[in-house]
Amino acid sequence: MTETNRAAWGSKLGIMLASAGSAVGLGNLWRFPFCTAQNGGGSFLIIYLICSFTIGAALVFTEAALGMKVKSEPSDAFGWIHPRLKFIGGLCILTSAIILPYYNVVGGWILAYIFKSFSITSIKNFGEAFTDFSSSAFEPLLFFYAYMIGTAIIVYMGIQKGIEKFCKIMMPVLFVLLIVLMIRVLMLDRALEGVKFFFLPDISKLNGKTMLDAMGQVFFSVSVGMGVYITYGSYVKDNTESVSRIMWPVVVLDVLISLLAGLTIFPAVFSFNIPINAGPALIFITLPKIFASLPFGQFFGLIFFIILLGAAATSSISLMEVPVAFLCDRMKFSRPKAVVLFTVFCLITGTFTSLSFGKLGEFKIAGKILFDQFDFLASNILLPLGGFLTCIAVGWILGSGKLVVFNNSRLQKSFEFCIKWIAPIAILLILLKGIELI
Ligand code: PFF
């Protein structure tokens, strides 16, 4: 595709909200609360905030700047730095091909819960039915297919008419609904206990593991390490604005939604004296039970799952846009052909990940079912590896002054220092932890 007929965002707000939509997702509403709970609340929060506004922001800016400069998909963007670096783009596609088939299975569960909230009279049944539902063969698959096809339709509709339009509607709705839900939860008895747990740092819990967990959470949550912002940045038509001016809301909104999620989930859990246990159980079992005991609980439960669906969907479309851009830019596929091809691939691999909760539960790779193995591979290895290689490519091979992110020279210098030293060292630590070498 030549630069002139290449798709483009309709407005600055469009790229901002689409990028924020990629960042805000299950990572904020599901992963962040249980990571925080496991790591002592407030102390984890402090490290998470510091990492988001330094390493997280630096990587978002770097990726977007690369995309805005090269105006092509990730492998071309890295190839521009050095032809030998094109393989990093391939790694981005691989990461997307691994995340989408399990992320969208969870998207399907959420969709199913929304439908069930209309048909089941007591929301209590949801929690009890979760294990039965996720381990059954057909129902989760059906909803996964529906969610996957929904994602594909938005991507198929293109940058302006599909992704931009969807994110412009979904992001404000999500924000408002989350605030409504938070206010309702904060009115519960003992809600303050949860707020205290979330904000008061417990210094004794500050250790190497907390720090590494917080950094890992930041990478997954802000969506760095697989070229999403390279791809989204490549659709910016005019480069008159500095990268930081366009992209700063991404990290701010991502952190804000995590804070709102914490301020909704912890007060709810604390006021019902329920232990916070990890994983899918928190949002699919514990929270529906809590909502069930509130007046109009079914309504609040429905709002919660609509929020989850919106957040997950804006992330899923960004995950899909990366391989689609690759197929269009490099392989010269038409958008419809690229979308259909990648969707069929995801429908097939996703069938296996979905069935790994039931019929294929016995099939394990290195002791993990397929779903868990994909999650482990993506968040603990591939995303940090992609982030690390991006830092090396930009900080060391491209060299300073080639990617201008800030108009202010002092901020630009700090950014370059972060990409050259702080970020790669921090990511290396996460990677080593991911493969259990430290
Ligand atoms: N950031 C998304 C979330 O918080 O759910 C997940 C994600 C999307 C990770 C896109 C990586 C990515 F490239």
Side-chain angles (χ1 to χ4, degrees), residues 109-127:
W109 293 348
I110 298 167
L111 192 62
Y113 268 53
I114 290 180
F115 275 88
K116 281 165 187 277
S117 71
F118 291 113
S119 60
I120 295 181
T121 43
S122 161
I123 201 169
K124 222 172 227 153
N125 300 350
F126 290 2

Side-chain angles (χ1 to χ4, degrees), residues 5 17 39 43 50 54 82 100-101 108 152 159 162 185 192 198 211 223 242 262 282 287 289 303 338 354 415:
N5 65 9
L17 291 181
N39 287 290
S43 14
I50 296 172
T54 51
H82 192 286
L100 254 184
I159 297 304
V185 168
L192 205 63
F198 187 37
M211 294 196 173
S223 307
S242 75
L282 189 66
L287 280 186
K289 273 192 183 151
I303 287 195
S354 179
F415 157 77

Side-chain angles (χ1 to χ4, degrees), residues 39-48 50 201-212 214:
N39 287 290
S43 14
F44 177 85
L45 181 64
I46 293 176
I47 310 289
Y48 166 81
I50 296 172
D202 176 356
I203 304 295
S204 68
K205 293 264 167 63
L206 262 187
N207 54 36
K209 181 187 173 292
T210 321
M211 294 196 173
L212 294 177

Side-chain angles (χ1 to χ4, degrees), residues 424-436:
I425 293 173
I427 300 170
L428 200 62
L429 291 176
I430 297 176
L431 256 173
L432 293 177
K433 182 186 174 249
I435 48 178
E436 284 160 16

Side-chain angles (χ1 to χ4, degrees), residues 25-337:
L26 298 174
N28 307 67
L29 298 157
W30 163 68
R31 205 173 185 273
F32 174 75
F34 82 76
C35 275
T36 309
Q38 284 170 347
N39 287 290
S43 14
F44 177 85
L45 181 64
I46 293 176
I47 310 289
Y48 166 81
L49 290 175
I50 296 172
C51 290
S52 291
F53 289 115
T54 51
I55 306 167
L59 273 167
V60 171
F61 293 159
T62 305
E63 285 195 10
L66 253 182
M68 283 164 71
K69 180 113 190 161
V70 183
K71 299 264 188 284
S72 189
E73 51 73 48
S75 65
D76 270 346
F78 286 107
W80 170 77
I81 297 177
H82 192 286
R84 289 234 175 118
L85 295 179
K86 278 192 174 160
F87 79 95
I88 307 176
L91 192 75
C92 294
I93 315 291
L94 178 71
T95 311
S96 145
I98 286 185
I99 299 183
L100 254 184
Y102 79 83
Y103 199 88
N104 279 11
V105 165
V106 182
W109 293 348
I110 298 167
L111 192 62
Y113 268 53
I114 290 180
F115 275 88
K116 281 165 187 277
S117 71
F118 291 113
S119 60
I120 295 181
T121 43
S122 161
I123 201 169
K124 222 172 227 153
N125 300 350
F126 290 2
E128 278 136 30
F130 178 70
T131 322
D132 285 351
F133 164 73
S134 61
S135 59
S136 70
F138 292 110
E139 226 191 335
L141 270 183
L142 210 70
F143 282 101
F144 160 64
Y145 294 155
Y147 179 86
M148 188 71 229
I149 289 169
T151 309
I153 290 174
I154 300 167
V155 178
Y156 170 88
M157 286 165 75
I159 297 304
Q160 250 182 64
K161 291 201 182 117
I163 300 178
E164 180 167 353
K165 214 172 190 175
F166 183 73
C167 292
K168 269 186 173 167
I169 299 169
M170 222 47 231
M171 291 307 284
V173 170
L174 195 147
F175 196 65
V176 172
L177 288 183
L178 195 53
I179 289 182
V180 171
L181 197 64
M182 180 190 73
I183 293 174
R184 177 64 191 92
V185 168
L186 285 176
M187 281 156 47
L188 294 170
D189 292 339
R190 301 187 67 240
L192 205 63
E193 298 289 310
V195 178
K196 274 192 199 149
F197 171 79
F198 187 37
F199 283 124
L200 288 184
D202 176 356
I203 304 295
S204 68
K205 293 264 167 63
L206 262 187
N207 54 36
K209 181 187 173 292
T210 321
M211 294 196 173
L212 294 177
D213 276 356
M215 281 191 279
Q217 171 61 22
V218 168
F219 284 110
F220 187 82
S221 186
V222 289
S223 307
V224 285
M226 58 154 277
V228 165
Y229 304 112
I230 298 182
T231 310
Y232 276 11
S234 74
Y235 301 123
V236 173
K237 221 184 329 198
D238 65 305
N239 288 0
T240 44
E241 254 206 273
S242 75
V243 177
S244 57
R245 275 199 158 208
I246 298 179
M247 298 307 281
W248 71 264
V250 175
V251 184
V252 172
L253 279 174
D254 189 57
V255 167
L256 197 64
I257 298 284
S258 289
L259 292 178
L260 293 180
L263 278 173
T264 306
I265 289 164
F266 292 121
V269 170
F270 270 75
S271 66
F272 281 82
N273 233 347
I274 296 174
I276 305 171
N277 41 11
L282 189 66
I283 56 168
F284 289 102
I285 299 178
T286 315
L287 280 186
K289 273 192 183 151
I290 293 173
F291 291 133
S293 42
L294 297 177
F296 306 109
Q298 207 170 348
F299 170 71
F300 287 109
L302 178 65
I303 287 195
F304 181 71
F305 284 107
I306 290 177
I307 294 170
L308 276 177
L309 185 72
T314 52
S315 298
S316 297
I317 54 182
S318 74
L319 282 158
M320 193 161 187
E321 184 56 33
V322 174
V324 166
F326 170 81
L327 291 173
C328 292
D329 287 349
R330 279 189 67 94
M331 317 294 283
K332 306 293 173 216
F333 279 32
S334 66
R335 177 168 278 267
K337 196 169 157 194

